[in-house]
Amino acid sequence: MGSVGRKIIGMDIEELISLLNRAFADEWLAHYQYWMGAKLAKGPMKDAIIAELTLHAADEMRHATMVAARIIQLGGTPLIRPEDWYKHANCSYDAPEDPYVRTLLEQNIKGEQCAIGVYNSLLNITRDKDIVTYEMVATILKDEVEHEEDLESLLEDLDLMMKKRG
Ligand code: FE
Ligand code: FE
Ligand code: MG
């Protein structure tokens, strides 16, 4: 990154890079969890749920791309080895071992809630310190809030449908 671009950051850049790498690991694991879930899903409302999981998988990959670009711009290196994702992730990876749609929705809601916490804390850390990262984090946080709501409303519809059927 340019020297002035670096100078305007009012916090420890190495510390910031390491926090961004943790979020980067979260995004890849979230991408894979959605991607795999979309392939395996079984049960009522499968088509609607697979469509949503597929969209979210693409969003998480887009987030990984955004975070990686900022890490590189800050002079850092995104985690190069997938085995490091597990070591650095804030949010755990929930393998979609049970392909039932309700279980998948619950697992991914938990993941989104973790992501919201991570990005909210990154917002607080970068506020008034690094506006460029702050704005990127705000954009991603908006997506994660929407993801949680999308999944919760699918879960609600699924439960209403099951109740009606008795
Ligand atoms: Fe994300
Ligand atoms: Fe998300
Ligand atoms: Mg959505």
mmCIF file of all heavy atoms in Angstrom, residues 104-152:
data_model
loop_
_atom_site.group_PDB
_atom_site.id
_atom_site.type_symbol
_atom_site.label_atom_id
_atom_site.label_comp_id
_atom_site.label_asym_id
_atom_site.label_seq_id
_atom_site.Cartn_x
_atom_site.Cartn_y
_atom_site.Cartn_z
ATOM 1 N N LEU A 104 -29.815 -28.065 8.518
ATOM 2 C CA LEU A 104 -28.924 -27.182 7.752
ATOM 3 C C LEU A 104 -29.232 -25.717 8.055
ATOM 4 O O LEU A 104 -28.315 -24.908 8.260
ATOM 5 C CB LEU A 104 -29.076 -27.432 6.244
ATOM 6 C CG LEU A 104 -28.637 -28.796 5.712
ATOM 7 C CD1 LEU A 104 -28.876 -28.865 4.207
ATOM 8 C CD2 LEU A 104 -27.180 -29.077 6.042
ATOM 9 N N LEU A 105 -30.519 -25.377 8.081
ATOM 10 C CA LEU A 105 -30.892 -23.984 8.372
ATOM 11 C C LEU A 105 -30.387 -23.580 9.754
ATOM 12 O O LEU A 105 -29.797 -22.497 9.907
ATOM 13 C CB LEU A 105 -32.415 -23.802 8.287
ATOM 14 C CG LEU A 105 -33.016 -23.780 6.875
ATOM 15 C CD1 LEU A 105 -34.560 -23.744 6.939
ATOM 16 C CD2 LEU A 105 -32.501 -22.594 6.058
ATOM 17 N N GLU A 106 -30.583 -24.451 10.732
ATOM 18 C CA GLU A 106 -30.139 -24.119 12.093
ATOM 19 C C GLU A 106 -28.623 -23.920 12.163
ATOM 20 O O GLU A 106 -28.136 -22.980 12.791
ATOM 21 C CB GLU A 106 -30.567 -25.218 13.071
ATOM 22 C CG GLU A 106 -32.035 -25.106 13.452
ATOM 23 C CD GLU A 106 -32.531 -26.308 14.254
ATOM 24 O OE1 GLU A 106 -31.777 -27.302 14.378
ATOM 25 O OE2 GLU A 106 -33.677 -26.239 14.736
ATOM 26 N N GLN A 107 -27.893 -24.806 11.503
ATOM 27 C CA GLN A 107 -26.424 -24.681 11.507
ATOM 28 C C GLN A 107 -25.986 -23.361 10.873
ATOM 29 O O GLN A 107 -25.090 -22.679 11.381
ATOM 30 C CB GLN A 107 -25.790 -25.809 10.687
ATOM 31 C CG GLN A 107 -25.764 -27.152 11.396
ATOM 32 C CD GLN A 107 -25.161 -28.237 10.499
ATOM 33 O OE1 GLN A 107 -25.335 -28.193 9.279
ATOM 34 N NE2 GLN A 107 -24.462 -29.176 11.099
ATOM 35 N N ASN A 108 -26.611 -23.021 9.761
ATOM 36 C CA ASN A 108 -26.180 -21.815 9.058
ATOM 37 C C ASN A 108 -26.640 -20.541 9.770
ATOM 38 O O ASN A 108 -25.962 -19.514 9.697
ATOM 39 C CB ASN A 108 -26.632 -21.858 7.598
ATOM 40 C CG ASN A 108 -25.821 -22.867 6.794
ATOM 41 O OD1 ASN A 108 -24.595 -22.829 6.805
ATOM 42 N ND2 ASN A 108 -26.481 -23.799 6.139
ATOM 43 N N ILE A 109 -27.769 -20.609 10.465
ATOM 44 C CA ILE A 109 -28.194 -19.453 11.275
ATOM 45 C C ILE A 109 -27.156 -19.200 12.373
ATOM 46 O O ILE A 109 -26.735 -18.061 12.604
ATOM 47 C CB ILE A 109 -29.602 -19.680 11.883
ATOM 48 C CG1 ILE A 109 -30.670 -19.582 10.785
ATOM 49 C CG2 ILE A 109 -29.894 -18.675 13.001
ATOM 50 C CD1 ILE A 109 -32.059 -20.057 11.193
ATOM 51 N N LYS A 110 -26.708 -20.273 12.998
ATOM 52 C CA LYS A 110 -25.675 -20.145 14.031
ATOM 53 C C LYS A 110 -24.412 -19.491 13.447
ATOM 54 O O LYS A 110 -23.800 -18.616 14.053
ATOM 55 C CB LYS A 110 -25.346 -21.538 14.578
ATOM 56 C CG LYS A 110 -25.075 -21.581 16.061
ATOM 57 C CD LYS A 110 -24.822 -23.008 16.548
ATOM 58 C CE LYS A 110 -23.458 -23.487 16.158
ATOM 59 N NZ LYS A 110 -23.219 -24.930 16.222
ATOM 60 N N GLY A 111 -24.046 -19.914 12.257
ATOM 61 C CA GLY A 111 -22.876 -19.340 11.581
ATOM 62 C C GLY A 111 -23.058 -17.855 11.307
ATOM 63 O O GLY A 111 -22.131 -17.059 11.492
ATOM 64 N N GLU A 112 -24.237 -17.480 10.842
ATOM 65 C CA GLU A 112 -24.492 -16.057 10.556
ATOM 66 C C GLU A 112 -24.445 -15.232 11.829
ATOM 67 O O GLU A 112 -23.947 -14.107 11.838
ATOM 68 C CB GLU A 112 -25.844 -15.872 9.858
ATOM 69 C CG GLU A 112 -25.900 -16.440 8.444
ATOM 70 C CD GLU A 112 -24.897 -15.800 7.502
ATOM 71 O OE1 GLU A 112 -24.399 -14.695 7.773
ATOM 72 O OE2 GLU A 112 -24.598 -16.441 6.474
ATOM 73 N N GLN A 113 -24.961 -15.794 12.912
ATOM 74 C CA GLN A 113 -24.960 -15.049 14.172
ATOM 75 C C GLN A 113 -23.534 -14.827 14.652
ATOM 76 O O GLN A 113 -23.193 -13.754 15.156
ATOM 77 C CB GLN A 113 -25.830 -15.779 15.208
ATOM 78 C CG GLN A 113 -27.299 -15.668 14.804
ATOM 79 C CD GLN A 113 -28.247 -16.546 15.598
ATOM 80 O OE1 GLN A 113 -27.813 -17.483 16.273
ATOM 81 N NE2 GLN A 113 -29.538 -16.253 15.513
ATOM 82 N N CYS A 114 -22.682 -15.813 14.440
ATOM 83 C CA CYS A 114 -21.269 -15.648 14.769
ATOM 84 C C CYS A 114 -20.643 -14.574 13.878
ATOM 85 O O CYS A 114 -19.937 -13.683 14.363
ATOM 86 C CB CYS A 114 -20.529 -16.979 14.615
ATOM 87 S SG CYS A 114 -18.769 -16.832 14.992
ATOM 88 N N ALA A 115 -20.932 -14.626 12.575
ATOM 89 C CA ALA A 115 -20.373 -13.643 11.627
ATOM 90 C C ALA A 115 -20.807 -12.223 11.997
ATOM 91 O O ALA A 115 -20.003 -11.280 11.942
ATOM 92 C CB ALA A 115 -20.801 -13.983 10.200
ATOM 93 N N ILE A 116 -22.059 -12.055 12.387
ATOM 94 C CA ILE A 116 -22.552 -10.727 12.772
ATOM 95 C C ILE A 116 -21.741 -10.202 13.967
ATOM 96 O O ILE A 116 -21.321 -9.040 13.983
ATOM 97 C CB ILE A 116 -24.068 -10.774 13.093
ATOM 98 C CG1 ILE A 116 -24.872 -10.995 11.796
ATOM 99 C CG2 ILE A 116 -24.535 -9.486 13.790
ATOM 100 C CD1 ILE A 116 -26.352 -11.318 12.012
ATOM 101 N N GLY A 117 -21.475 -11.064 14.928
ATOM 102 C CA GLY A 117 -20.672 -10.664 16.084
ATOM 103 C C GLY A 117 -19.257 -10.260 15.682
ATOM 104 O O GLY A 117 -18.731 -9.249 16.160
ATOM 105 N N VAL A 118 -18.651 -11.045 14.791
ATOM 106 C CA VAL A 118 -17.277 -10.771 14.345
ATOM 107 C C VAL A 118 -17.203 -9.424 13.625
ATOM 108 O O VAL A 118 -16.336 -8.588 13.925
ATOM 109 C CB VAL A 118 -16.772 -11.895 13.402
ATOM 110 C CG1 VAL A 118 -15.491 -11.477 12.686
ATOM 111 C CG2 VAL A 118 -16.553 -13.186 14.186
ATOM 112 N N TYR A 119 -18.116 -9.184 12.690
ATOM 113 C CA TYR A 119 -18.045 -7.939 11.911
ATOM 114 C C TYR A 119 -18.469 -6.733 12.742
ATOM 115 O O TYR A 119 -17.969 -5.626 12.536
ATOM 116 C CB TYR A 119 -18.838 -8.062 10.614
ATOM 117 C CG TYR A 119 -18.096 -8.920 9.621
ATOM 118 C CD1 TYR A 119 -18.574 -10.162 9.229
ATOM 119 C CD2 TYR A 119 -16.874 -8.497 9.105
ATOM 120 C CE1 TYR A 119 -17.874 -10.966 8.337
ATOM 121 C CE2 TYR A 119 -16.149 -9.289 8.224
ATOM 122 C CZ TYR A 119 -16.650 -10.516 7.837
ATOM 123 O OH TYR A 119 -15.943 -11.298 6.974
ATOM 124 N N ASN A 120 -19.376 -6.953 13.683
ATOM 125 C CA ASN A 120 -19.749 -5.842 14.553
ATOM 126 C C ASN A 120 -18.549 -5.426 15.409
ATOM 127 O O ASN A 120 -18.284 -4.237 15.595
ATOM 128 C CB ASN A 120 -20.944 -6.227 15.424
ATOM 129 C CG ASN A 120 -21.516 -5.028 16.123
ATOM 130 O OD1 ASN A 120 -21.759 -3.994 15.503
ATOM 131 N ND2 ASN A 120 -21.695 -5.135 17.426
ATOM 132 N N SER A 121 -17.778 -6.412 15.859
ATOM 133 C CA SER A 121 -16.619 -6.061 16.673
ATOM 134 C C SER A 121 -15.525 -5.423 15.802
ATOM 135 O O SER A 121 -14.859 -4.472 16.234
ATOM 136 C CB SER A 121 -16.159 -7.277 17.487
ATOM 137 O OG SER A 121 -14.879 -7.678 17.119
ATOM 138 N N LEU A 122 -15.382 -5.886 14.554
ATOM 139 C CA LEU A 122 -14.422 -5.234 13.640
ATOM 140 C C LEU A 122 -14.828 -3.785 13.335
ATOM 141 O O LEU A 122 -13.970 -2.919 13.127
ATOM 142 C CB LEU A 122 -14.319 -6.024 12.333
ATOM 143 C CG LEU A 122 -13.218 -7.080 12.277
ATOM 144 C CD1 LEU A 122 -13.380 -7.966 11.043
ATOM 145 C CD2 LEU A 122 -11.833 -6.427 12.261
ATOM 146 N N LEU A 123 -16.122 -3.541 13.294
ATOM 147 C CA LEU A 123 -16.600 -2.166 13.078
ATOM 148 C C LEU A 123 -16.163 -1.282 14.229
ATOM 149 O O LEU A 123 -15.658 -0.173 14.021
ATOM 150 C CB LEU A 123 -18.127 -2.139 13.030
ATOM 151 C CG LEU A 123 -18.873 -2.117 11.710
ATOM 152 C CD1 LEU A 123 -20.316 -1.714 11.961
ATOM 153 C CD2 LEU A 123 -18.222 -1.216 10.681
ATOM 154 N N ASN A 124 -16.351 -1.794 15.442
ATOM 155 C CA ASN A 124 -15.975 -1.011 16.623
ATOM 156 C C ASN A 124 -14.471 -0.764 16.687
ATOM 157 O O ASN A 124 -14.024 0.309 17.091
ATOM 158 C CB ASN A 124 -16.450 -1.714 17.902
ATOM 159 C CG ASN A 124 -17.969 -1.685 18.015
ATOM 160 O OD1 ASN A 124 -18.599 -0.716 17.584
ATOM 161 N ND2 ASN A 124 -18.556 -2.727 18.569
ATOM 162 N N ILE A 125 -13.703 -1.771 16.263
ATOM 163 C CA ILE A 125 -12.243 -1.658 16.311
ATOM 164 C C ILE A 125 -11.715 -0.654 15.273
ATOM 165 O O ILE A 125 -10.753 0.060 15.525
ATOM 166 C CB ILE A 125 -11.605 -3.058 16.095
ATOM 167 C CG1 ILE A 125 -11.868 -3.943 17.326
ATOM 168 C CG2 ILE A 125 -10.100 -2.966 15.827
ATOM 169 C CD1 ILE A 125 -11.598 -5.418 17.090
ATOM 170 N N THR A 126 -12.358 -0.602 14.101
ATOM 171 C CA THR A 126 -11.826 0.240 13.015
ATOM 172 C C THR A 126 -12.466 1.635 12.946
ATOM 173 O O THR A 126 -11.970 2.499 12.228
ATOM 174 C CB THR A 126 -12.008 -0.447 11.640
ATOM 175 O OG1 THR A 126 -13.389 -0.795 11.468
ATOM 176 C CG2 THR A 126 -11.162 -1.703 11.540
ATOM 177 N N ARG A 127 -13.553 1.816 13.682
ATOM 178 C CA ARG A 127 -14.243 3.123 13.665
ATOM 179 C C ARG A 127 -13.268 4.242 14.049
ATOM 180 O O ARG A 127 -12.535 4.127 15.015
ATOM 181 C CB ARG A 127 -15.428 3.074 14.644
ATOM 182 C CG ARG A 127 -16.154 4.406 14.765
ATOM 183 C CD ARG A 127 -17.344 4.323 15.702
ATOM 184 N NE ARG A 127 -18.400 3.493 15.140
ATOM 185 C CZ ARG A 127 -18.914 2.409 15.729
ATOM 186 N NH1 ARG A 127 -18.484 2.016 16.899
ATOM 187 N NH2 ARG A 127 -19.870 1.731 15.134
ATOM 188 N N ASP A 128 -13.240 5.282 13.241
ATOM 189 C CA ASP A 128 -12.337 6.429 13.462
ATOM 190 C C ASP A 128 -10.850 6.074 13.359
ATOM 191 O O ASP A 128 -9.991 6.902 13.651
ATOM 192 C CB ASP A 128 -12.574 7.090 14.830
ATOM 193 C CG ASP A 128 -13.996 7.623 14.975
ATOM 194 O OD1 ASP A 128 -14.552 8.055 13.946
ATOM 195 O OD2 ASP A 128 -14.536 7.584 16.095
ATOM 196 N N LYS A 129 -10.524 4.811 12.961
ATOM 197 C CA LYS A 129 -9.114 4.400 12.900
ATOM 198 C C LYS A 129 -8.733 4.074 11.459
ATOM 199 O O LYS A 129 -7.649 4.419 11.002
ATOM 200 C CB LYS A 129 -8.895 3.153 13.768
ATOM 201 C CG LYS A 129 -9.285 3.343 15.231
ATOM 202 C CD LYS A 129 -8.066 3.714 16.029
ATOM 203 C CE LYS A 129 -8.360 4.108 17.467
ATOM 204 N NZ LYS A 129 -9.479 3.484 18.127
ATOM 205 N N ASP A 130 -9.623 3.374 10.766
ATOM 206 C CA ASP A 130 -9.335 2.978 9.393
ATOM 207 C C ASP A 130 -10.661 2.945 8.625
ATOM 208 O O ASP A 130 -11.355 1.943 8.594
ATOM 209 C CB ASP A 130 -8.665 1.594 9.375
ATOM 210 C CG ASP A 130 -8.443 1.076 7.961
ATOM 211 O OD1 ASP A 130 -8.729 1.819 6.996
ATOM 212 O OD2 ASP A 130 -7.989 -0.076 7.830
ATOM 213 N N ILE A 131 -10.956 4.073 7.992
ATOM 214 C CA ILE A 131 -12.259 4.258 7.349
ATOM 215 C C ILE A 131 -12.468 3.291 6.177
ATOM 216 O O ILE A 131 -13.585 2.851 5.919
ATOM 217 C CB ILE A 131 -12.439 5.749 6.922
ATOM 218 C CG1 ILE A 131 -13.881 6.043 6.484
ATOM 219 C CG2 ILE A 131 -11.492 6.139 5.829
ATOM 220 C CD1 ILE A 131 -14.877 6.034 7.611
ATOM 221 N N VAL A 132 -11.387 2.939 5.478
ATOM 222 C CA VAL A 132 -11.523 2.055 4.310
ATOM 223 C C VAL A 132 -11.960 0.660 4.753
ATOM 224 O O VAL A 132 -12.910 0.079 4.212
ATOM 225 C CB VAL A 132 -10.206 2.004 3.494
ATOM 226 C CG1 VAL A 132 -10.330 1.036 2.323
ATOM 227 C CG2 VAL A 132 -9.833 3.393 2.994
ATOM 228 N N THR A 133 -11.274 0.128 5.778
ATOM 229 C CA THR A 133 -11.677 -1.173 6.304
ATOM 230 C C THR A 133 -13.060 -1.076 6.937
ATOM 231 O O THR A 133 -13.909 -1.957 6.757
ATOM 232 C CB THR A 133 -10.645 -1.683 7.335
ATOM 233 O OG1 THR A 133 -9.369 -1.791 6.699
ATOM 234 C CG2 THR A 133 -11.034 -3.047 7.888
ATOM 235 N N TYR A 134 -13.296 0.011 7.637
ATOM 236 C CA TYR A 134 -14.588 0.219 8.302
ATOM 237 C C TYR A 134 -15.744 0.118 7.299
ATOM 238 O O TYR A 134 -16.731 -0.569 7.547
ATOM 239 C CB TYR A 134 -14.590 1.595 8.979
ATOM 240 C CG TYR A 134 -15.875 1.956 9.679
ATOM 241 C CD1 TYR A 134 -16.109 1.549 10.996
ATOM 242 C CD2 TYR A 134 -16.861 2.692 9.026
ATOM 243 C CE1 TYR A 134 -17.286 1.874 11.641
ATOM 244 C CE2 TYR A 134 -18.048 3.021 9.669
ATOM 245 C CZ TYR A 134 -18.255 2.618 10.971
ATOM 246 O OH TYR A 134 -19.437 2.934 11.607
ATOM 247 N N GLU A 135 -15.598 0.761 6.158
ATOM 248 C CA GLU A 135 -16.684 0.752 5.170
ATOM 249 C C GLU A 135 -16.862 -0.616 4.544
ATOM 250 O O GLU A 135 -17.977 -1.049 4.270
ATOM 251 C CB GLU A 135 -16.430 1.826 4.105
ATOM 252 C CG GLU A 135 -16.521 3.199 4.730
ATOM 253 C CD GLU A 135 -17.002 4.276 3.772
ATOM 254 O OE1 GLU A 135 -16.722 4.136 2.562
ATOM 255 O OE2 GLU A 135 -17.638 5.231 4.236
ATOM 256 N N MET A 136 -15.758 -1.322 4.314
ATOM 257 C CA MET A 136 -15.867 -2.683 3.788
ATOM 258 C C MET A 136 -16.585 -3.582 4.794
ATOM 259 O O MET A 136 -17.478 -4.355 4.437
ATOM 260 C CB MET A 136 -14.473 -3.251 3.488
ATOM 261 C CG MET A 136 -14.519 -4.689 2.995
ATOM 262 S SD MET A 136 -12.901 -5.497 3.054
ATOM 263 C CE MET A 136 -12.739 -5.788 4.823
ATOM 264 N N VAL A 137 -16.197 -3.452 6.055
ATOM 265 C CA VAL A 137 -16.801 -4.271 7.113
ATOM 266 C C VAL A 137 -18.309 -3.965 7.230
ATOM 267 O O VAL A 137 -19.124 -4.873 7.375
ATOM 268 C CB VAL A 137 -16.071 -4.041 8.460
ATOM 269 C CG1 VAL A 137 -16.847 -4.625 9.630
ATOM 270 C CG2 VAL A 137 -14.660 -4.635 8.407
ATOM 271 N N ALA A 138 -18.669 -2.685 7.105
ATOM 272 C CA ALA A 138 -20.091 -2.308 7.184
ATOM 273 C C ALA A 138 -20.882 -2.956 6.048
ATOM 274 O O ALA A 138 -22.008 -3.427 6.251
ATOM 275 C CB ALA A 138 -20.230 -0.792 7.152
ATOM 276 N N THR A 139 -20.287 -2.990 4.857
ATOM 277 C CA THR A 139 -20.946 -3.619 3.699
ATOM 278 C C THR A 139 -21.159 -5.110 3.950
ATOM 279 O O THR A 139 -22.242 -5.654 3.682
ATOM 280 C CB THR A 139 -20.076 -3.429 2.432
ATOM 281 O OG1 THR A 139 -19.872 -2.026 2.242
ATOM 282 C CG2 THR A 139 -20.739 -4.013 1.202
ATOM 283 N N ILE A 140 -20.137 -5.763 4.452
ATOM 284 C CA ILE A 140 -20.254 -7.205 4.711
ATOM 285 C C ILE A 140 -21.263 -7.459 5.834
ATOM 286 O O ILE A 140 -22.108 -8.357 5.727
ATOM 287 C CB ILE A 140 -18.873 -7.827 5.049
ATOM 288 C CG1 ILE A 140 -17.912 -7.685 3.858
ATOM 289 C CG2 ILE A 140 -19.023 -9.300 5.440
ATOM 290 C CD1 ILE A 140 -16.489 -8.193 4.119
ATOM 291 N N LEU A 141 -21.193 -6.650 6.882
ATOM 292 C CA LEU A 141 -22.116 -6.831 8.013
ATOM 293 C C LEU A 141 -23.576 -6.756 7.543
ATOM 294 O O LEU A 141 -24.423 -7.545 7.974
ATOM 295 C CB LEU A 141 -21.849 -5.783 9.100
ATOM 296 C CG LEU A 141 -22.786 -5.814 10.316
ATOM 297 C CD1 LEU A 141 -22.679 -7.139 11.084
ATOM 298 C CD2 LEU A 141 -22.494 -4.650 11.271
ATOM 299 N N LYS A 142 -23.842 -5.826 6.631
ATOM 300 C CA LYS A 142 -25.197 -5.686 6.074
ATOM 301 C C LYS A 142 -25.652 -6.991 5.421
ATOM 302 O O LYS A 142 -26.792 -7.413 5.583
ATOM 303 C CB LYS A 142 -25.193 -4.553 5.041
ATOM 304 C CG LYS A 142 -26.289 -3.537 5.241
ATOM 305 C CD LYS A 142 -25.977 -2.241 4.514
ATOM 306 C CE LYS A 142 -26.300 -2.300 3.037
ATOM 307 N NZ LYS A 142 -25.892 -1.076 2.313
ATOM 308 N N ASP A 143 -24.752 -7.623 4.687
ATOM 309 C CA ASP A 143 -25.075 -8.916 4.052
ATOM 310 C C ASP A 143 -25.342 -9.994 5.101
ATOM 311 O O ASP A 143 -26.269 -10.795 4.943
ATOM 312 C CB ASP A 143 -23.922 -9.395 3.161
ATOM 313 C CG ASP A 143 -23.775 -8.581 1.880
ATOM 314 O OD1 ASP A 143 -24.718 -7.854 1.514
ATOM 315 O OD2 ASP A 143 -22.704 -8.678 1.243
ATOM 316 N N GLU A 144 -24.522 -10.035 6.145
ATOM 317 C CA GLU A 144 -24.678 -11.104 7.146
ATOM 318 C C GLU A 144 -25.997 -10.942 7.901
ATOM 319 O O GLU A 144 -26.663 -11.931 8.224
ATOM 320 C CB GLU A 144 -23.490 -11.128 8.134
ATOM 321 C CG GLU A 144 -22.089 -11.114 7.529
ATOM 322 C CD GLU A 144 -21.745 -12.254 6.586
ATOM 323 O OE1 GLU A 144 -22.646 -12.973 6.119
ATOM 324 O OE2 GLU A 144 -20.538 -12.419 6.290
ATOM 325 N N VAL A 145 -26.376 -9.702 8.153
ATOM 326 C CA VAL A 145 -27.660 -9.446 8.819
ATOM 327 C C VAL A 145 -28.806 -9.937 7.925
ATOM 328 O O VAL A 145 -29.755 -10.568 8.392
ATOM 329 C CB VAL A 145 -27.795 -7.935 9.146
ATOM 330 C CG1 VAL A 145 -29.225 -7.570 9.521
ATOM 331 C CG2 VAL A 145 -26.839 -7.551 10.283
ATOM 332 N N GLU A 146 -28.667 -9.678 6.627
ATOM 333 C CA GLU A 146 -29.690 -10.136 5.677
ATOM 334 C C GLU A 146 -29.705 -11.668 5.605
ATOM 335 O O GLU A 146 -30.769 -12.285 5.558
ATOM 336 C CB GLU A 146 -29.379 -9.535 4.309
ATOM 337 C CG GLU A 146 -30.553 -9.523 3.363
ATOM 338 C CD GLU A 146 -30.157 -8.940 2.004
ATOM 339 O OE1 GLU A 146 -29.749 -7.754 1.952
ATOM 340 O OE2 GLU A 146 -30.226 -9.681 1.012
ATOM 341 N N HIS A 147 -28.516 -12.278 5.616
ATOM 342 C CA HIS A 147 -28.441 -13.745 5.569
ATOM 343 C C HIS A 147 -29.190 -14.365 6.754
ATOM 344 O O HIS A 147 -29.930 -15.323 6.591
ATOM 345 C CB HIS A 147 -26.982 -14.214 5.619
ATOM 346 C CG HIS A 147 -26.228 -13.979 4.344
ATOM 347 N ND1 HIS A 147 -24.865 -14.167 4.252
ATOM 348 C CD2 HIS A 147 -26.636 -13.593 3.112
ATOM 349 C CE1 HIS A 147 -24.471 -13.900 3.013
ATOM 350 N NE2 HIS A 147 -25.525 -13.543 2.310
ATOM 351 N N GLU A 148 -28.927 -13.828 7.938
ATOM 352 C CA GLU A 148 -29.589 -14.389 9.127
ATOM 353 C C GLU A 148 -31.099 -14.307 8.968
ATOM 354 O O GLU A 148 -31.825 -15.266 9.223
ATOM 355 C CB GLU A 148 -29.154 -13.644 10.401
ATOM 356 C CG GLU A 148 -29.752 -14.253 11.677
ATOM 357 C CD GLU A 148 -29.804 -13.292 12.866
ATOM 358 O OE1 GLU A 148 -29.928 -12.068 12.660
ATOM 359 O OE2 GLU A 148 -29.723 -13.777 14.008
ATOM 360 N N GLU A 149 -31.568 -13.145 8.518
ATOM 361 C CA GLU A 149 -33.014 -12.950 8.382
ATOM 362 C C GLU A 149 -33.606 -13.890 7.327
ATOM 363 O O GLU A 149 -34.669 -14.483 7.537
ATOM 364 C CB GLU A 149 -33.303 -11.491 8.034
ATOM 365 C CG GLU A 149 -34.743 -11.112 8.319
ATOM 366 C CD GLU A 149 -35.234 -9.947 7.485
ATOM 367 O OE1 GLU A 149 -34.390 -9.246 6.891
ATOM 368 O OE2 GLU A 149 -36.459 -9.762 7.430
ATOM 369 N N ASP A 150 -32.921 -14.030 6.204
ATOM 370 C CA ASP A 150 -33.399 -14.938 5.136
ATOM 371 C C ASP A 150 -33.575 -16.352 5.683
ATOM 372 O O ASP A 150 -34.579 -17.013 5.406
ATOM 373 C CB ASP A 150 -32.376 -15.005 3.991
ATOM 374 C CG ASP A 150 -32.297 -13.718 3.198
ATOM 375 O OD1 ASP A 150 -33.207 -12.883 3.317
ATOM 376 O OD2 ASP A 150 -31.299 -13.552 2.461
ATOM 377 N N LEU A 151 -32.588 -16.816 6.425
ATOM 378 C CA LEU A 151 -32.632 -18.200 6.921
ATOM 379 C C LEU A 151 -33.684 -18.359 8.006
ATOM 380 O O LEU A 151 -34.398 -19.364 8.048
ATOM 381 C CB LEU A 151 -31.260 -18.625 7.448
ATOM 382 C CG LEU A 151 -30.092 -18.619 6.448
ATOM 383 C CD1 LEU A 151 -28.821 -19.098 7.133
ATOM 384 C CD2 LEU A 151 -30.382 -19.463 5.224
ATOM 385 N N GLU A 152 -33.796 -17.345 8.869
ATOM 386 C CA GLU A 152 -34.811 -17.435 9.925
ATOM 387 C C GLU A 152 -36.207 -17.427 9.331
ATOM 388 O O GLU A 152 -37.105 -18.106 9.827
ATOM 389 C CB GLU A 152 -34.631 -16.301 10.944
ATOM 390 C CG GLU A 152 -33.466 -16.582 11.887
ATOM 391 C CD GLU A 152 -33.323 -15.555 13.008
ATOM 392 O OE1 GLU A 152 -33.965 -14.483 12.931
ATOM 393 O OE2 GLU A 152 -32.556 -15.838 13.952
#
